[in-house]
Amino acid sequence: MVTDRQLFLNNLAQTSDSPLALEITKAEGIYLFDSSGKRYIDLISGISVSNIGHRHPAVIKAIKDQADKYLHLMVYGEYIQAPQVRLAAELAALLPESLNNCYFVNSGSEAVEGALKLAKRYTGRKKIVYFNHAYHGSTHGSLSVMGNDSYQLAFGPLLPGVNRIEFNSLDSLNVISSETACVIVEPVQGEAGIIAGTQEFIRALRKRCNETGTLLVFDEIQTGLGRTGTMFAFEKYKVVPDILLLAKGLGGGMPIGAFISSREIMHSLAFNPVLGHITTFGGHPVSCAAALATIGVIIEEKLADSVDTKSRLFVELLEQNPSIRQIRSAGLLIALQLDNYDHVKKVIDNCIENGVITDWFLFNDSSIRIAPPLTITEEQIRVACSVILNALRTN
Ligand code: PMP
């Protein structure tokens, strides 16, 4: 009989020669279970997705209730669908007044695409500024603002008029001019290996955008929904972006993305031409119902409030280990900096063998990624850290 592992290797497009290839048959809370029944602590949340844990009962109920009513009805923006409009209203209620209008899409990359188009259309400008080591997705537009040469060169030509500048460098902000439509930035760079924007830098960036009439786009696709200790990371910087991007954790395990701005800015997608941005499935009712339930869980279980304490516990338990050169963290986005990829690989493999899933970062393969569900308990953190410490000691 052909095994699922063989089907995986033969019939599913492979994009690396070393996939984790765990055969997961069930997930619940912070745990994944493989086909042999082995249990793993998920310390990466499907890359910052499962903020409220896997299969949260409130999300499962919302999905089932919505499935009993309707699935896809019509392309985006034509029919009034309760899960969509209520999710938009809930987000508007959580966000500042200038972020009161949501466009729902299916993924993070699509949210980026929508935001870049919106900024060009609203400002009438053609140039876009982005940062070194930034990750915003893998489609042509989002790849054009990926701060990495090897990915960009392999798939060029990409968007013209894009300018890459240094993150956390005040000098580099001079590149932003009255010709710049938007600057896209992750307040905490995720795939770079958790590099937080400094308060000074993010505020100076906001100021420079104000001076030049440039829209500031915050990609909070990894930092959003409680992960850094506030519902959105921008709250920690006391600046408000002109466009906010969400995806990943928003759907509680279902696919959804959003670009969010003011009604005035968003209106520029409605004329010359009408239907300036179109999606068939964007804002799928089941995903929106799941997202609404997810936000409810984050608020009711006060998940963001315990993030800093849990983050500190990880750091306290791990920082004494001599192989860890540095720990960088922004709430429950944590990077353990080791010396090189080989060591990271051995530690990750050993952790998986012993029931803890970690990972590295796309642009930093000498660091270990820790981004567990925010629901993880202190006791579970201790168990996970003892496995990591043991892997570091023996490898
Ligand atoms: N922006 C950031 C900051 C991300 O981390 C990611 C995904 N890792 C994306 C955008 C793209 O999201 P998606 O994979 O859903 O297209």
Short mmCIF file of all heavy atoms in Angstrom, two decimals, residues 223-267:
data_model
loop_
_atom_site.label_atom_id
_atom_site.label_comp_id
_atom_site.label_asym_id
_atom_site.label_seq_id
_atom_site.Cartn_x
_atom_site.Cartn_y
_atom_site.Cartn_z
N THR A 223 2.87 39.76 14.39
CA THR A 223 2.86 40.39 15.72
C THR A 223 1.46 40.63 16.25
O THR A 223 1.30 40.93 17.44
CB THR A 223 3.61 41.74 15.67
OG1 THR A 223 3.02 42.55 14.64
CG2 THR A 223 5.09 41.55 15.39
N GLY A 224 0.45 40.52 15.39
CA GLY A 224 -0.91 40.87 15.79
C GLY A 224 -1.58 39.86 16.71
O GLY A 224 -1.03 38.80 16.99
N LEU A 225 -2.75 40.25 17.20
CA LEU A 225 -3.61 39.35 17.97
C LEU A 225 -2.96 38.84 19.25
O LEU A 225 -3.03 37.65 19.56
CB LEU A 225 -4.09 38.18 17.09
CG LEU A 225 -5.14 38.46 16.00
CD1 LEU A 225 -6.35 39.16 16.56
CD2 LEU A 225 -4.63 39.16 14.78
N GLY A 226 -2.31 39.74 19.96
CA GLY A 226 -1.83 39.44 21.32
C GLY A 226 -0.42 38.92 21.43
O GLY A 226 0.13 38.86 22.53
N ARG A 227 0.19 38.56 20.32
CA ARG A 227 1.46 37.84 20.41
C ARG A 227 2.57 38.61 21.12
O ARG A 227 3.40 38.02 21.81
CB ARG A 227 1.94 37.39 19.01
CG ARG A 227 3.23 36.59 19.09
CD ARG A 227 3.36 35.50 18.08
NE ARG A 227 2.41 34.42 18.15
CZ ARG A 227 2.51 33.35 18.98
NH1 ARG A 227 3.52 33.23 19.82
NH2 ARG A 227 1.60 32.41 18.95
N THR A 228 2.60 39.93 20.98
CA THR A 228 3.69 40.66 21.64
C THR A 228 3.27 41.25 22.99
O THR A 228 4.00 42.04 23.57
CB THR A 228 4.27 41.79 20.74
OG1 THR A 228 3.29 42.81 20.61
CG2 THR A 228 4.67 41.26 19.37
N GLY A 229 2.07 40.89 23.47
CA GLY A 229 1.66 41.34 24.80
C GLY A 229 0.60 42.43 24.77
O GLY A 229 0.04 42.79 25.80
N THR A 230 0.33 42.97 23.59
CA THR A 230 -0.82 43.86 23.39
C THR A 230 -1.57 43.30 22.18
O THR A 230 -0.99 42.54 21.40
CB THR A 230 -0.38 45.32 23.11
OG1 THR A 230 0.71 45.30 22.18
CG2 THR A 230 0.05 46.03 24.38
N MET A 231 -2.82 43.68 22.03
CA MET A 231 -3.58 43.10 20.91
C MET A 231 -2.83 43.32 19.59
O MET A 231 -2.74 42.42 18.77
CB MET A 231 -4.99 43.73 20.87
CG MET A 231 -5.91 43.07 19.87
SD MET A 231 -6.19 41.31 20.18
CE MET A 231 -7.84 41.30 20.85
N PHE A 232 -2.28 44.55 19.43
CA PHE A 232 -1.48 44.86 18.23
C PHE A 232 -0.16 45.46 18.70
O PHE A 232 -0.14 46.21 19.68
CB PHE A 232 -2.24 45.84 17.32
CG PHE A 232 -3.64 45.39 17.01
CD1 PHE A 232 -4.72 45.97 17.67
CD2 PHE A 232 -3.87 44.37 16.11
CE1 PHE A 232 -6.02 45.52 17.43
CE2 PHE A 232 -5.16 43.92 15.86
CZ PHE A 232 -6.24 44.49 16.52
N ALA A 233 0.92 45.16 17.98
CA ALA A 233 2.23 45.65 18.42
C ALA A 233 2.33 47.17 18.34
O ALA A 233 3.06 47.79 19.11
CB ALA A 233 3.34 45.00 17.59
N PHE A 234 1.56 47.77 17.41
CA PHE A 234 1.70 49.23 17.27
C PHE A 234 1.34 49.97 18.55
O PHE A 234 1.82 51.06 18.81
CB PHE A 234 0.92 49.77 16.05
CG PHE A 234 -0.58 49.82 16.21
CD1 PHE A 234 -1.19 50.83 16.95
CD2 PHE A 234 -1.39 48.88 15.58
CE1 PHE A 234 -2.57 50.89 17.08
CE2 PHE A 234 -2.78 48.93 15.70
CZ PHE A 234 -3.37 49.93 16.46
N GLU A 235 0.49 49.33 19.40
CA GLU A 235 0.11 49.97 20.66
C GLU A 235 1.33 50.22 21.53
O GLU A 235 1.38 51.19 22.28
CB GLU A 235 -0.88 49.08 21.42
CG GLU A 235 -2.20 48.88 20.69
CD GLU A 235 -3.04 47.79 21.35
OE1 GLU A 235 -3.37 47.91 22.54
OE2 GLU A 235 -3.35 46.79 20.65
N LYS A 236 2.32 49.33 21.45
CA LYS A 236 3.52 49.48 22.29
C LYS A 236 4.37 50.67 21.85
O LYS A 236 5.20 51.16 22.60
CB LYS A 236 4.38 48.21 22.19
CG LYS A 236 3.71 46.99 22.78
CD LYS A 236 4.71 46.11 23.50
CE LYS A 236 3.97 45.28 24.52
NZ LYS A 236 4.66 44.11 24.98
N TYR A 237 4.19 51.08 20.58
CA TYR A 237 5.01 52.18 20.05
C TYR A 237 4.27 53.52 20.12
O TYR A 237 4.83 54.55 19.78
CB TYR A 237 5.41 51.87 18.60
CG TYR A 237 6.38 50.72 18.50
CD1 TYR A 237 5.93 49.42 18.25
CD2 TYR A 237 7.74 50.92 18.68
CE1 TYR A 237 6.81 48.37 18.16
CE2 TYR A 237 8.64 49.87 18.59
CZ TYR A 237 8.16 48.60 18.32
OH TYR A 237 9.04 47.55 18.25
N LYS A 238 3.02 53.45 20.50
CA LYS A 238 2.20 54.67 20.57
C LYS A 238 2.21 55.44 19.25
O LYS A 238 2.26 56.67 19.22
CB LYS A 238 2.67 55.56 21.74
CG LYS A 238 2.61 54.82 23.07
CD LYS A 238 2.58 55.73 24.25
CE LYS A 238 2.24 55.03 25.54
NZ LYS A 238 2.75 53.66 25.70
N VAL A 239 2.21 54.69 18.15
CA VAL A 239 2.00 55.30 16.84
C VAL A 239 0.87 54.50 16.17
O VAL A 239 0.66 53.34 16.52
CB VAL A 239 3.25 55.25 15.93
CG1 VAL A 239 4.43 55.95 16.55
CG2 VAL A 239 3.61 53.82 15.56
N VAL A 240 0.19 55.13 15.26
CA VAL A 240 -0.89 54.44 14.54
C VAL A 240 -0.52 54.39 13.06
O VAL A 240 -0.22 55.43 12.47
CB VAL A 240 -2.24 55.17 14.75
CG1 VAL A 240 -3.35 54.48 13.96
CG2 VAL A 240 -2.60 55.22 16.24
N PRO A 241 -0.52 53.20 12.46
CA PRO A 241 -0.24 53.13 11.02
C PRO A 241 -1.43 53.64 10.21
O PRO A 241 -2.54 53.73 10.74
CB PRO A 241 -0.02 51.63 10.79
CG PRO A 241 -0.84 50.98 11.85
CD PRO A 241 -0.81 51.88 13.05
N ASP A 242 -1.18 53.92 8.93
CA ASP A 242 -2.29 54.30 8.05
C ASP A 242 -3.00 53.07 7.50
O ASP A 242 -4.18 53.12 7.18
CB ASP A 242 -1.76 55.14 6.89
CG ASP A 242 -1.09 56.40 7.39
OD1 ASP A 242 -1.78 57.20 8.03
OD2 ASP A 242 0.13 56.55 7.19
N ILE A 243 -2.23 52.00 7.36
CA ILE A 243 -2.81 50.73 6.93
C ILE A 243 -2.24 49.64 7.82
O ILE A 243 -1.03 49.58 8.05
CB ILE A 243 -2.48 50.41 5.45
CG1 ILE A 243 -2.91 51.56 4.52
CG2 ILE A 243 -3.15 49.10 5.01
CD1 ILE A 243 -2.55 51.35 3.05
N LEU A 244 -3.12 48.79 8.35
CA LEU A 244 -2.70 47.69 9.22
C LEU A 244 -2.99 46.37 8.51
O LEU A 244 -4.08 46.20 7.95
CB LEU A 244 -3.50 47.75 10.53
CG LEU A 244 -3.28 46.60 11.52
CD1 LEU A 244 -1.88 46.66 12.14
CD2 LEU A 244 -4.35 46.63 12.63
N LEU A 245 -2.01 45.46 8.56
CA LEU A 245 -2.20 44.15 7.92
C LEU A 245 -2.27 43.06 8.97
O LEU A 245 -1.41 42.98 9.87
CB LEU A 245 -1.02 43.85 6.99
CG LEU A 245 -0.64 44.94 6.00
CD1 LEU A 245 0.51 44.46 5.12
CD2 LEU A 245 -1.84 45.33 5.16
N LEU A 246 -3.28 42.21 8.86
CA LEU A 246 -3.44 41.06 9.75
C LEU A 246 -3.65 39.81 8.92
O LEU A 246 -4.14 39.88 7.79
CB LEU A 246 -4.65 41.25 10.68
CG LEU A 246 -4.65 42.46 11.60
CD1 LEU A 246 -5.98 42.55 12.36
CD2 LEU A 246 -3.48 42.42 12.59
N ALA A 247 -3.30 38.67 9.47
CA ALA A 247 -3.59 37.36 8.85
C ALA A 247 -3.26 36.32 9.93
O ALA A 247 -3.55 36.54 11.10
CB ALA A 247 -2.79 37.13 7.58
N LYS A 248 -2.63 35.23 9.57
CA LYS A 248 -2.14 34.20 10.51
C LYS A 248 -3.07 33.99 11.71
O LYS A 248 -4.07 33.28 11.59
CB LYS A 248 -0.73 34.58 10.97
CG LYS A 248 0.30 34.35 9.85
CD LYS A 248 1.71 34.37 10.38
CE LYS A 248 2.77 34.20 9.34
NZ LYS A 248 3.14 32.84 9.07
N GLY A 249 -2.78 34.59 12.87
CA GLY A 249 -3.53 34.32 14.10
C GLY A 249 -4.97 34.76 14.05
O GLY A 249 -5.78 34.33 14.87
N LEU A 250 -5.32 35.62 13.09
CA LEU A 250 -6.68 36.18 13.05
C LEU A 250 -7.75 35.10 12.93
O LEU A 250 -8.81 35.20 13.54
CB LEU A 250 -6.78 37.18 11.88
CG LEU A 250 -8.12 37.87 11.64
CD1 LEU A 250 -8.55 38.68 12.87
CD2 LEU A 250 -8.06 38.78 10.41
N GLY A 251 -7.49 34.06 12.16
CA GLY A 251 -8.53 33.07 11.88
C GLY A 251 -8.61 31.93 12.88
O GLY A 251 -9.42 31.01 12.70
N GLY A 252 -7.76 31.92 13.90
CA GLY A 252 -7.79 30.85 14.89
C GLY A 252 -7.56 29.48 14.26
O GLY A 252 -8.01 28.46 14.76
N GLY A 253 -6.84 29.46 13.13
CA GLY A 253 -6.57 28.20 12.43
C GLY A 253 -7.26 28.13 11.07
O GLY A 253 -7.04 27.18 10.31
N MET A 254 -8.09 29.11 10.76
CA MET A 254 -8.72 29.19 9.43
C MET A 254 -8.03 30.27 8.62
O MET A 254 -7.51 31.24 9.17
CB MET A 254 -10.21 29.51 9.58
CG MET A 254 -11.02 28.40 10.20
SD MET A 254 -11.13 26.94 9.15
CE MET A 254 -12.33 27.51 7.93
N PRO A 255 -8.02 30.13 7.27
CA PRO A 255 -7.31 31.12 6.45
C PRO A 255 -8.09 32.42 6.30
O PRO A 255 -9.24 32.41 5.86
CB PRO A 255 -7.16 30.41 5.09
CG PRO A 255 -8.28 29.44 5.05
CD PRO A 255 -8.57 29.04 6.47
N ILE A 256 -7.44 33.51 6.67
CA ILE A 256 -8.03 34.84 6.48
C ILE A 256 -6.92 35.88 6.60
O ILE A 256 -5.96 35.68 7.35
CB ILE A 256 -9.16 35.12 7.50
CG1 ILE A 256 -9.86 36.45 7.17
CG2 ILE A 256 -8.67 35.08 8.93
CD1 ILE A 256 -11.18 36.66 7.93
N GLY A 257 -7.05 36.96 5.86
CA GLY A 257 -6.14 38.10 6.01
C GLY A 257 -6.97 39.35 5.92
O GLY A 257 -8.15 39.31 5.51
N ALA A 258 -6.38 40.48 6.30
CA ALA A 258 -7.12 41.74 6.21
C ALA A 258 -6.16 42.89 5.99
O ALA A 258 -5.06 42.88 6.55
CB ALA A 258 -7.92 41.98 7.49
N PHE A 259 -6.54 43.85 5.13
CA PHE A 259 -5.88 45.15 5.19
C PHE A 259 -6.91 46.16 5.65
O PHE A 259 -8.05 46.15 5.20
CB PHE A 259 -5.13 45.53 3.91
CG PHE A 259 -5.90 45.56 2.62
CD1 PHE A 259 -6.28 46.78 2.06
CD2 PHE A 259 -6.21 44.39 1.93
CE1 PHE A 259 -6.95 46.84 0.84
CE2 PHE A 259 -6.89 44.44 0.71
CZ PHE A 259 -7.26 45.66 0.17
N ILE A 260 -6.47 46.97 6.60
CA ILE A 260 -7.40 47.81 7.36
C ILE A 260 -6.92 49.26 7.28
O ILE A 260 -5.73 49.53 7.47
CB ILE A 260 -7.46 47.35 8.84
CG1 ILE A 260 -7.82 45.85 8.90
CG2 ILE A 260 -8.43 48.19 9.64
CD1 ILE A 260 -7.74 45.25 10.30
N SER A 261 -7.83 50.17 6.98
CA SER A 261 -7.43 51.57 6.90
C SER A 261 -8.63 52.44 7.25
O SER A 261 -9.57 51.96 7.90
CB SER A 261 -6.90 51.86 5.49
OG SER A 261 -6.30 53.13 5.44
N SER A 262 -8.61 53.72 6.83
CA SER A 262 -9.78 54.57 7.08
C SER A 262 -10.76 54.41 5.93
O SER A 262 -10.38 54.00 4.83
CB SER A 262 -9.34 56.03 7.18
OG SER A 262 -8.88 56.45 5.91
N ARG A 263 -12.00 54.78 6.20
CA ARG A 263 -13.01 54.69 5.14
C ARG A 263 -12.60 55.57 3.95
O ARG A 263 -12.76 55.20 2.80
CB ARG A 263 -14.37 55.14 5.70
CG ARG A 263 -15.56 54.60 4.96
CD ARG A 263 -16.86 54.84 5.72
NE ARG A 263 -16.90 54.16 7.00
CZ ARG A 263 -16.97 54.75 8.19
NH1 ARG A 263 -17.01 56.07 8.28
NH2 ARG A 263 -16.99 54.06 9.30
N GLU A 264 -12.01 56.72 4.27
CA GLU A 264 -11.62 57.66 3.21
C GLU A 264 -10.54 57.05 2.30
O GLU A 264 -10.65 57.07 1.08
CB GLU A 264 -11.08 58.96 3.85
CG GLU A 264 -10.70 60.00 2.82
CD GLU A 264 -9.54 60.88 3.26
OE1 GLU A 264 -9.30 61.00 4.48
OE2 GLU A 264 -8.85 61.42 2.36
N ILE A 265 -9.50 56.50 2.91
CA ILE A 265 -8.42 55.91 2.10
C ILE A 265 -8.95 54.72 1.31
O ILE A 265 -8.73 54.58 0.11
CB ILE A 265 -7.21 55.51 2.99
CG1 ILE A 265 -6.57 56.76 3.58
CG2 ILE A 265 -6.20 54.68 2.21
CD1 ILE A 265 -5.45 56.50 4.58
N MET A 266 -9.70 53.88 1.99
CA MET A 266 -10.19 52.65 1.34
C MET A 266 -11.13 52.96 0.18
O MET A 266 -11.20 52.19 -0.79
CB MET A 266 -10.91 51.80 2.39
CG MET A 266 -10.95 50.34 2.08
SD MET A 266 -9.33 49.53 2.12
CE MET A 266 -9.31 48.88 3.79
N HIS A 267 -11.80 54.12 0.26
CA HIS A 267 -12.77 54.48 -0.80
C HIS A 267 -12.09 54.59 -2.17
O HIS A 267 -12.74 54.44 -3.21
CB HIS A 267 -13.45 55.81 -0.43
CG HIS A 267 -14.48 56.25 -1.43
ND1 HIS A 267 -15.59 55.49 -1.72
CD2 HIS A 267 -14.53 57.34 -2.25
CE1 HIS A 267 -16.30 56.10 -2.65
NE2 HIS A 267 -15.68 57.23 -3.00
#
